Amino acid sequence: EVQLVESGGGLVQAGGSLRLSCAASGFTSDDYVIGWFRQAPGKEREGVSCISSSDGSTYYADSVKGRFTISSDNAKNTVYLQMNSLKPEDTAAYYCAAARKVVAGLGLHEYDYWGQGTQVTVSS
């Protein structure tokens, strides 16, 4: 069974940085996409970024382009989300998700497995 565990969340001032980690295990296929999503109180879950295992391609939501960077360490089966220049509107619970696909974007229903989430709070 696929398991995803997020870590790295916390409290940071606006303009600061955090790095989130997603440790993955239990995959039965080499082709998959790992995505980061976030959900603020009272709002729907939204896609942030994703990375494909097949070719390493990445995609970012417009709201985080130029500030966030997704990367992976295949040897450690871990995906990272480096978040810089954080804004109060980035405050949310952040989730990593896995899609058993070669290609996937930021659509919620493209993903098959989800982690438990890690809280990111950005103060003004």
Side-chain angles (χ1 to χ4, degrees):
E1 180 176 317
V2 173
Q3 184 176 11
L4 305 171
V5 180
E6 304 97 331
S7 62
L11 175 64
V12 64
Q13 291 184 321
S17 299
L18 285 173
R19 188 177 75 161
L20 306 183
S21 298
C22 175
S25 63
F27 285 99
T28 59
S29 174
D30 290 334
D31 293 330
Y32 57 90
V33 177
I34 301 295
W36 283 99
F37 295 77
R38 65 187 183 186
Q39 187 167 24
K43 296 184 178 180
E44 295 184 347
R45 191 168 298 185
E46 63 177 355
V48 175
S49 183
C50 61
I51 185 168
S52 299
S53 66
S54 59
D55 61 1
S57 62
T58 60
Y59 187 81
Y60 298 90
D62 289 341
S63 60
V64 305
K65 285 182 179 177
R67 300 189 299 120
F68 291 10
T69 303
I70 191 170
S71 62
S72 64
D73 185 336
N74 292 335
K76 296 181 178 180
N77 293 317
T78 301
V79 173
Y80 304 95
L81 184 68
Q82 178 67 46
M83 306 185 296
N84 299 325
S85 301
L86 284 163
K87 305 174 181 179
E89 51 262 45
D90 294 318
T91 295
Y94 282 71
Y95 301 85
C96 64
R100 288 181 172 176
K101 301 176 180 179
V102 177
V103 177
L106 298 180
L108 198 71
H109 299 292
E110 296 183 78
Y111 293 81
D112 305 296
Y113 305 97
W114 295 83
Q116 292 295 106
T118 185
Q119 179 66 37
V120 172
T121 302
V122 184
S123 62
S124 60

